[in-house]
Amino acid sequence: MAWTRKILRINLTQGSCVSEPLNMAWAAQYLGQRGLASKYLVSEIDPLVDPLSPENKIIYATGPLTGTMASTGGRYSVVTKGPLTGVIACSNSGGFFGAELKFAGWDMIIVEGKSPTPVYLHIENELAELLPADDLWGTTVWATEATLKKRHQDPLLRVSSIGRAGENQVLFAAIVNDLHRAAGRSGVGAVMGSKNLKAIAVRGTRGVGNIADPKAFMAAATAGKKMLAENAVTGQGLPTYGTQVLMNVINEMGALPTRNHRDVEFEGARKISAEAMHEKRASDGRSHLVTNQACFGCTIACGRISRIDETHFSVETRPEYWGANGGLEYEAAWALGSANGVDDLEALQFANLLCNEDGMDPISFGATVGAVMELYDLGILSKEEIGLEVPFGSAAALCKLAEMTARGEGFGKILGQGSKRVCARYGRPELSMTVKGQEFPAYDGRALQGMGLAYATSNRGACHLRGYMVSSEVFGIPVKTDPRETEGKPEMLKAFQDATAVVDSSGLCVFTTFAWTMNDIQPQIQAACEGDWSQDSLLQMGERIWNLERDFNLAAGITGKDDTLPPRLLNEPCKTGGSKGMVAEIGKMLPVYYSARGWTADGVPTAATRARLGL
Amino acid sequence: MQKSLHIDPGKCTGCLQCEMACSYEHTGAFNPSRSLIKVFDFHHEGRKVPYTCTQCAEAWCLNACPVEAIKIDAATGAKVVLDAVCVGCKVCTIACPFGTINYSHETGKVQKCDLCGGEPACAEACPTDAITYIDSDWTGLERMRKWAQKTDSAARV
Ligand code: SF4
Ligand code: SF4
């Protein structure tokens, strides 16, 4: 049945760790990970709760396929009310931590309350204990992992923790596991910090041995792996180039947001592309990229391990950054680079390392730097206010601001509030490139109409991972659509969003869907889990999850009016590229989307829709 | 043909499919902590190295065992632990220079790679061919071929 059927409930106020049975009726409706953790969260917290108060809860959840031989079956999600957005936050991470949690015998950890002093949670199979973390507080993710492995004499310990950004409640702080895999978005790390919970260290030796139909499962998993290997994107593109392969592609389409979305093409794109990662540097004759790296169980291996040039100004006096380390992904390279007009690949890698080391979301950080640079460019923010000059394109400013933000120094404290609050503070809220308080990722919503709608309607604020319309509008998966066309996009987006919610609830990585459809995913879930997991029931479950999240967000205070994009994307047309002259046509698509969803004209699920989905 | 496991660390992505396959074959559960092959991540060098028993011809473990619990599988050449005979004294773990035979507190016996009776699950599961099961007399053949391809006579016109 693939679930361990056990939840670990931690009350930090009381200092208690209690095992309780998983609600199997809910598991039958929400599968695991994103869906199931969201069900628990919305059932247990008041939607109006302050995200950084003890009344908020934070859930770490695996899926039924986490810890199995299904390719990419190693994911876990962190679900809480997000401090950046004020709506539900659900951030998904790979690496090895999720599988280890499952091997220890837990489907999920629910953390509530607030510890009076810093603590970390140590789990060894059924044993769970809260231990003092005073000596870890103020240290980085990397230092925390090293210290804990030593303290517990266990090199095989898997650690998920926050760095100084989470402690300082940077509103886009991430939770980082296995050094550079992150539950990155919406500020989940700040919630952990607000609770005085520094880290979760887990060691599991029980394994996952209760697959419903092992033979069928192994056959389905093997068939799935074969498909991934034979597919051009998952078998070649991603392992060779990683997600950064998109840089030149998206730029050439004129869909690469540049300098806080002023432009849609970046003249420096080639210099920060995946191809550039492969080129040999003039300085030391070595390429940036050292090798690729897989998450647990993943036969794609998109992860990058790279090395910074030792002579670069960012690291020349800091040998601790000279070794091979977690490298850039597309979204990070875009946010740190194109969004600020910075084309210095070494600087991007350095800022990315700082994001990993101290637990920050590079997308929101980079995009907020972009907003700061525009405010500076317009003369609204001065050198005195910031403490340094921050013109668009400044690699030095990018590196310095990363340090200041991670450590909560000077202007870094303000920057750490995210683009929406920074722009509001200086009287120019319209310059914030955000939806529901969360910064955009790396595709322009004017150039890719479907993606624009995806941002406007995403349940966690601007996000590419809730309905990746790029797949159709750029790659033609499953069918090619014209990125400038609005017709048919709302219906397609709904289908993408529902299917993605299924993948996010299973334990699998959404990148598999470059090659897999529900036809390939469904047999793996069905073989692993007891119950009816037909395609129809899975897709209905995806829709149920989407509406559950929507209900929570509405109760948390958002309305249909929040399903929109910043004025720049609605009014200022793309200046160049294939979509020159276009703005995001949200007004056209949104009513169609609402009706496809079975929502009222105000974006509220109707009673009939709720009844149909069993909500 | 006598075969042996051949490991090419340069190809390894660190996915641990091999560890899961091994544990599943031997225990029926996906459980890397019970895997007989381990993948090591030398993070700051950017290298992952899968490592397991190489089935020594003159096996230290076998020679050290006081109760003759380690036997040679005639078909595969694997040095195999007989659970019924092993008394869990761990002398073999001291003798083995490579650390690839280890005690399991759950079974009270030692465990090591047994080549899965001739169909190693790790090699089967590895998506990158970092682990292959090939002719033990010619594990260098592929490398020789690569160099051979680069080699030519200067006199050729
Ligand atoms: S595709 Fe990439 S992110 Fe997804 S599991 Fe594999 S290595 Fe991790
Ligand atoms: S299965 Fe292959 S690529 Fe994956 S960790 Fe093992 S040896 Fe490395």
Side-chain angles (χ1 to χ4, degrees), chain A residues 71-75 93-95 181 234 238 243 293-304 329 508-512:
Chain A
S71 184
T72 77
R75 316 282 312 184
S93 182
R181 305 308 307 193
T234 53
L238 284 174
T243 54
Q293 160 94 48
C295 295
F296 182 89
C298 175
T299 57
I300 303 173
C302 75
R304 305 288 93 183
E329 297 189 63
L508 301 174
C509 177
V510 75
F511 288 173
T512 55

Side-chain angles (χ1 to χ4, degrees), chain A residues 67-69 96 103 179-180 205-209 211 214 217-218 225 291-299 301 323-325, chain B residues 10 12-17 20-21 24 28-34 38 41 43-48 105-106 125 127:
Chain A
T68 71
M69 267 178 90
F96 300 86
F103 294 148
L179 303 178
H180 46 71
T205 64
R206 299 283 183 253
V208 172
I211 299 298
F217 178 75
M218 290 304 263
K225 282 180 255 189
T291 182
N292 64 335
Q293 160 94 48
C295 295
F296 182 89
C298 175
T299 57
N325 221 323
Chain B
C12 176
T13 62
C15 71
L16 306 191
Q17 282 278 342
M20 277 190 285
Y24 184 73
F30 304 119
N31 189 359
S33 74
R34 293 292 305 277
K38 287 310 271 181
D41 183 4
H43 184 65
H44 291 299
E45 298 168 34
R47 291 197 307 129
K48 274 86 59 180
H105 78 278
E106 271 167 46

Side-chain angles (χ1 to χ4, degrees), chain A residues 199 205 244 247 277 279 285 288 404 514 525 568:
Chain A
T205 64
Q244 219 176 335
M247 191 66 72
M277 292 291 289
E279 280 161 20
H288 302 265
M404 288 163 67
F514 284 117
I525 296 176
R568 174 165 286 168

Side-chain angles (χ1 to χ4, degrees), chain A residues 294 298-299, chain B residues 7-9 11-19 37 39 48-50 122 125-131:
Chain A
C298 175
T299 57
Chain B
I7 287 171
D8 185 348
K11 291 180 176 163
C12 176
T13 62
C15 71
L16 306 191
Q17 282 278 342
C18 52
E19 293 197 11
I37 182 163
V39 179
K48 274 86 59 180
V49 184
C122 56
C126 178
T128 64
D129 284 344
I131 309 171

Side-chain angles (χ1 to χ4, degrees), chain A residues 77-316:
Chain A
S77 286
V78 179
V79 179
T80 185
K81 183 176 175 183
L84 185 68
T85 55
V87 296
I88 197 163
C90 172
S91 296
N92 177 311
S93 182
F96 300 86
F97 175 85
E100 198 73 20
L101 181 61
K102 191 87 174 276
F103 294 148
W106 304 102
D107 288 315
M108 208 184 273
I109 308 171
I110 300 178
V111 177
E112 48 196 37
K114 174 183 179 171
S115 171
T117 53
V119 289
Y120 69 98
L121 173 61
H122 176 237
I123 301 171
E124 194 182 325
N125 296 328
E126 37 291 305
L127 176 111
E129 52 185 351
L130 288 166
L131 297 170
D134 303 272
D135 61 325
L136 299 171
W137 206 256
T139 67
T140 67
V141 166
W142 299 349
T144 298
E145 176 165 329
T147 306
L148 289 176
K149 284 182 169 171
K150 217 164 159 191
R151 177 170 309 162
H152 291 281
Q153 283 195 348
D154 191 350
L156 298 175
L157 205 61
R158 303 290 190 186
V159 180
S160 177
S161 69
I162 54 169
R164 289 172 291 188
E167 294 175 9
N168 296 332
Q169 297 178 23
V170 166
L171 291 184
F172 45 80
I175 295 172
V176 180
N177 54 282
D178 306 293
L179 303 178
H180 46 71
R181 305 308 307 193
R185 302 224 70 194
S186 313
V188 294
V191 175
M192 211 166 153
S194 74
K195 298 192 170 311
N196 268 329
L197 179 61
K198 177 69 179 171
I200 302 175
V202 57
R203 181 70 196 291
T205 64
R206 299 283 183 253
V208 172
N210 53 355
I211 299 298
D213 183 345
K215 240 184 154 166
F217 178 75
M218 290 304 263
T222 304
K225 282 180 255 189
K226 188 159 176 279
M227 280 194 75
L228 293 177
E230 288 166 359
N231 179 278
V233 178
T234 53
Q236 284 157 27
L238 284 174
T240 311
Y241 291 111
T243 54
Q244 219 176 335
V245 71
L246 284 164
M247 191 66 72
N248 286 326
V249 178
I250 301 297
N251 189 50
E252 277 155 27
M253 287 185 75
L256 191 71
T258 301
R259 288 174 283 267
N260 207 34
H261 286 67
R262 278 182 173 175
D263 300 303
V264 290
E265 282 175 289
F266 180 39
E267 62 288 351
R270 202 201 54 78
K271 287 164 93 177
I272 60 170
S273 67
E275 291 80 353
M277 292 291 289
H278 278 261
E279 280 161 20
K280 290 208 182 348
R281 289 187 281 246
S283 56
D284 60 3
R286 299 202 279 193
S287 61
H288 302 265
L289 185 73
V290 178
T291 182
N292 64 335
Q293 160 94 48
C295 295
F296 182 89
C298 175
T299 57
I300 303 173
C302 75
R304 305 288 93 183
I305 300 293
S306 65
R307 202 188 278 115
I308 306 187
D309 181 350
E310 294 170 12
T311 63
H312 187 257
F313 72 83
S314 59
V315 297
E316 62 185 343

Side-chain angles (χ1 to χ4, degrees), chain A residues 237-500:
Chain A
L238 284 174
T240 311
Y241 291 111
T243 54
Q244 219 176 335
V245 71
L246 284 164
M247 191 66 72
N248 286 326
V249 178
I250 301 297
N251 189 50
E252 277 155 27
M253 287 185 75
L256 191 71
T258 301
R259 288 174 283 267
N260 207 34
H261 286 67
R262 278 182 173 175
D263 300 303
V264 290
E265 282 175 289
F266 180 39
E267 62 288 351
R270 202 201 54 78
K271 287 164 93 177
I272 60 170
S273 67
E275 291 80 353
M277 292 291 289
H278 278 261
E279 280 161 20
K280 290 208 182 348
R281 289 187 281 246
S283 56
D284 60 3
R286 299 202 279 193
S287 61
H288 302 265
L289 185 73
V290 178
T291 182
N292 64 335
Q293 160 94 48
C295 295
F296 182 89
C298 175
T299 57
I300 303 173
C302 75
R304 305 288 93 183
I305 300 293
S306 65
R307 202 188 278 115
I308 306 187
D309 181 350
E310 294 170 12
T311 63
H312 187 257
F313 72 83
S314 59
V315 297
E316 62 185 343
T317 59
R318 298 191 252 196
E320 66 270 27
Y321 294 109
W322 290 357
N325 221 323
L328 292 162
E329 297 189 63
Y330 171 59
E331 309 294 335
W334 164 80
L336 301 167
S338 175
N340 314 309
V342 176
D343 65 4
D344 177 344
L345 193 50
E346 311 293 345
L348 266 50
Q349 291 183 75
F350 177 69
N352 191 55
L353 279 191
L354 293 189
C355 286
N356 288 336
E357 185 181 25
D358 261 316
M360 291 198 294
D361 169 15
I363 303 180
S364 284
F365 165 72
T368 304
V369 171
V372 167
M373 286 181 170
E374 180 157 19
L375 290 167
Y376 178 84
D377 189 66
L378 295 170
I380 295 161
L381 263 173
S382 65
K383 179 185 169 196
E384 288 63 44
E385 179 98 28
I386 304 172
L388 65 154
E389 290 179 8
V390 297
F392 276 123
S394 169
L398 174 74
C399 295
K400 187 69 194 161
L401 289 172
E403 287 192 46
M404 288 163 67
T405 308
R407 295 174 196 168
E409 292 165 4
F411 185 76
K413 281 208 195 80
I414 295 170
L415 204 158
Q417 298 297 297
S419 165
K420 178 180 159 191
R421 289 163 180 85
V422 170
C423 292
R425 181 187 177 109
Y426 296 102
R428 298 298 297 272
E430 78 284 3
L431 293 182
S432 170
M433 294 300 121
T434 51
V435 176
K436 301 183 179 79
Q438 179 154 285
E439 292 74 10
F440 286 114
Y443 317 86
D444 197 288
R446 291 164 291 193
L448 307 179
Q449 292 292 326
M451 215 45 212
L453 184 65
Y455 292 145
T457 59
S458 151
N459 281 334
R460 64 168 190 173
C463 167
H464 57 297
L465 294 171
R466 285 296 172 275
Y468 192 62
M469 293 294 282
V470 175
S471 192
S472 166
E473 297 183 303
V474 178
F475 298 114
I477 302 170
V479 285
K480 181 80 180 94
T481 53
D482 183 344
R484 289 163 303 188
E485 183 58 68
T486 55
E487 192 72 29
K489 294 293 168 66
E491 296 84 353
M492 177 179 257
L493 175 62
K494 173 188 177 290
F496 272 40
Q497 288 171 334
D498 294 347
T500 304

